[in-house]
C-alpha cells in the first residue's frame, strides 16, 4: 500500500465491512493480536489483504464451582464463594454483541485433600501453611 492507492484499498475494505468510518485515522496491520486491541479500543482498522478478525477476544477468571465471572486477572479466590476455583476463561464478543465464555475443558483441577489428609497448620513466623480461603491470606 502506498499513499497513491490507500484510497482504493480503503474503499474496498469499507464496502466489505458495510460500516461507517468512526474516525479519520486508521491503522493498517496484519497482526491479529494488534487488531484485537484496536477493536477493543474502538479504533478504525485496515488490513492489507482484507483478512481481519470478526470477534473480539478477552480473558476473564471464571469460577468452576459457582460460575461467577471476575475481570480481575490477579485474583486467586472466587469473590462469591471464596474457594480457589478460578480458572482463566476466554471471552468472545461477536459483532452482534453476544458474549460467549470458553472454559478449558481439559483443565486438571486441584485434588488436594482427596487422597491424603491436609496437614494441620504449624503457625509461627516462617510458616508455609496452605491458603485454602481468601480470609486466611
Amino acid at each position: 500500500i502506498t499513499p497513491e492507492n490507500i484510497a482504493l484499498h480503503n474503499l474496498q475494505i469499507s464496502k466489505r465491512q458495510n460500516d461507517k468510518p468512526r474516525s479519520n485515522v486508521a491503522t493498517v496491520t496484519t497482526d491479529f493480536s494488534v487488531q484485537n486491541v484496536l477493536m477493543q479500543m474502538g479504533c478504525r482498522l485496515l488490513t492489507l489483504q482484507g483478512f481481519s478478525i470478526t470477534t473480539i477476544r478477552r480473558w476473564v477468571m471464571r469460577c468452576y464451582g459457582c460460575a461467577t465471572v471476575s475481570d480481575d486477572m490477579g485474583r486467586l479466590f472466587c469473590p462469591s464463594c471464596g474457594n480457589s476455583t478460578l480458572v482463566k476463561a476466554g471471552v468472545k464478543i461477536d459483532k452482534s454483541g453476544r458474549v460467549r465464555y470458553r472454559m478449558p475443558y481439559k483443565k486438571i483441577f486441584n485434588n488436594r485433600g482427596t487422597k491424603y489428609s491436609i496437614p494441620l497448620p504449624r503457625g509461627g513466623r516462617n510458616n508455609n501453611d496452605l491458603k485454602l480461603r481468601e480470609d486466611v491470606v
Side-chain angles (χ1 to χ4, degrees), residues 59-73 75-91 101-105 107 109 132-134:
W59 299 100
V60 294
M61 298 298 279
R62 186 171 179 188
C63 177
Y64 62 84
C66 65
T68 303
V69 177
S70 174
D71 290 335
D72 187 10
M73 293 298 292
R75 288 194 78 96
L76 298 175
F77 299 96
C78 177
S80 178
C81 65
N83 293 325
S84 62
T85 55
L86 290 177
V87 292
K88 184 178 175 181
V91 178
Y101 296 103
R102 184 181 178 277
M103 292 285 289
Y105 292 109
K107 173 82 174 165
F109 298 114
L132 300 175
R133 296 291 222 180
E134 190 171 17

Side-chain angles (χ1 to χ4, degrees), residues 3-134:
E4 291 81 23
N5 64 2
I6 188 75
L8 176 67
H9 288 284
N10 189 8
L11 182 64
Q12 291 174 354
I13 292 172
S14 64
K15 284 181 183 177
R16 287 185 206 138
Q17 293 179 351
N18 293 330
D19 62 347
K20 297 176 184 174
R22 292 178 287 248
S23 67
N24 294 333
V25 178
T27 304
V28 179
T29 182
T30 57
D31 187 10
F32 290 134
S33 61
V34 174
Q35 290 179 11
N36 188 19
V37 171
L38 289 171
M39 286 184 74
Q40 286 181 10
M41 291 172 45
C43 295
R44 191 165 173 216
L45 176 67
L46 295 176
T47 59
L48 297 177
Q49 292 90 12
F51 298 114
S52 65
I53 61 173
T54 57
T55 60
I56 297 175
R57 288 196 176 189
R58 289 184 49 217
W59 299 100
V60 294
M61 298 298 279
R62 186 171 179 188
C63 177
Y64 62 84
C66 65
T68 303
V69 177
S70 174
D71 290 335
D72 187 10
M73 293 298 292
R75 288 194 78 96
L76 298 175
F77 299 96
C78 177
S80 178
C81 65
N83 293 325
S84 62
T85 55
L86 290 177
V87 292
K88 184 178 175 181
V91 178
K92 285 187 177 182
I93 304 170
D94 57 1
K95 290 185 178 181
S96 64
R98 186 174 46 185
V99 178
R100 292 186 179 191
Y101 296 103
R102 184 181 178 277
M103 292 285 289
Y105 292 109
K106 294 185 179 181
K107 173 82 174 165
I108 299 172
F109 298 114
N110 187 4
N111 293 329
R112 183 182 296 255
T114 58
K115 188 172 182 181
Y116 300 107
S117 62
I118 297 174
L120 293 173
R122 293 186 184 185
R125 184 179 303 188
N126 297 323
N127 64 357
N128 293 326
D129 294 339
L130 294 176
K131 311 266 188 300
L132 300 175
R133 296 291 222 180
E134 190 171 17

